[in-house]
């Protein structure tokens, strides 16, 4: 039963974080940040978000910028989900490089 709650909350966080990043990256032409997956701890206190960045060469720079603006992102998330959860979770961000990995495998198979 607990996993069901975790999954619902993770989907909520994923949706809201995606909207936050969409609004923040609108000003940067040619860049896109999407949240591919979120995992939530059993106590709903920690949310681990995996981000996909386009173009992927700027991934480290974007991740560094996101981590620098951690407090404002958490504040925005809190405003959006404040009535649905008891606490706003601590956020952790990582780059999801699974698409780059798949492209590399496709290149190797094509050879």
């Amino acid at each position: 039963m607990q996993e069901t709650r975790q999954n619902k909350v993770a989907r909520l966080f994923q949706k809201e974080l995606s909207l936050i990043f969409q609004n923040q990256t609108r000003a940067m032409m040619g860049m896109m940040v999407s949240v591919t997956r979120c995992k939530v701890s059993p106590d709903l206190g920690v949310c681990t978000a995996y981000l996909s960045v386009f173009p992927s060469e700027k991934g480290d720079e974007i991740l560094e910028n996101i981590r620098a603006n951690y407090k404002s992102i958490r504040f925005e998330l809190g405003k959006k989900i404040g009535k649905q959860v008891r606490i706003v979770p601590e956020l952790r961000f990582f780059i999801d490089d699974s698409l780059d990995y798949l492209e590399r495998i496709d290149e190797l198979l094509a050879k």
Side-chain angles (χ1 to χ4, degrees):
M1 191 62 117
Q2 181 66 18
E3 284 186 19
T4 304
R5 174 80 173 141
Q6 280 178 268
N7 291 336
K8 286 181 181 179
V9 171
R11 284 193 305 268
L12 173 68
F13 292 159
Q14 180 179 358
K15 179 184 147 210
E16 296 301 336
L17 284 172
S18 294
L19 293 173
I20 290 169
F21 290 133
Q22 182 181 8
N23 290 336
Q24 288 183 353
T25 58
R26 188 170 288 154
M28 296 186 277
M29 295 296 188
M31 300 198 59
M32 186 174 73
V33 177
S34 60
V35 181
T36 56
R37 182 175 41 148
C38 282
K39 289 185 178 179
V40 180
S41 65
D43 65 350
L44 308 178
V46 178
C47 175
T48 305
Y50 294 91
L51 308 174
S52 177
V53 178
F54 179 80
S56 59
E57 301 85 40
K58 303 241 183 200
D60 293 332
E61 178 185 333
I62 295 291
L63 186 63
E64 193 174 305
N65 189 8
I66 288 171
R67 288 181 177 161
N69 294 318
Y70 163 80
K71 289 182 181 182
S72 65
I73 294 169
R74 189 170 181 217
F75 177 74
E76 286 292 320
L77 182 65
K79 286 195 314 188
K80 292 182 180 239
I81 64 166
K83 304 291 183 192
Q84 298 170 354
V85 293
R86 187 170 291 161
I87 60 168
V88 178
E90 175 185 335
L91 300 172
R92 297 180 184 164
F93 297 104
F94 296 99
I95 294 293
D96 183 13
D97 58 355
S98 59
L99 292 176
D100 295 334
Y101 182 70
L102 288 174
E103 285 180 19
R104 178 72 178 135
I105 289 176
D106 285 341
E107 288 175 12
L108 292 174
L109 290 174
K111 291 180 183 180

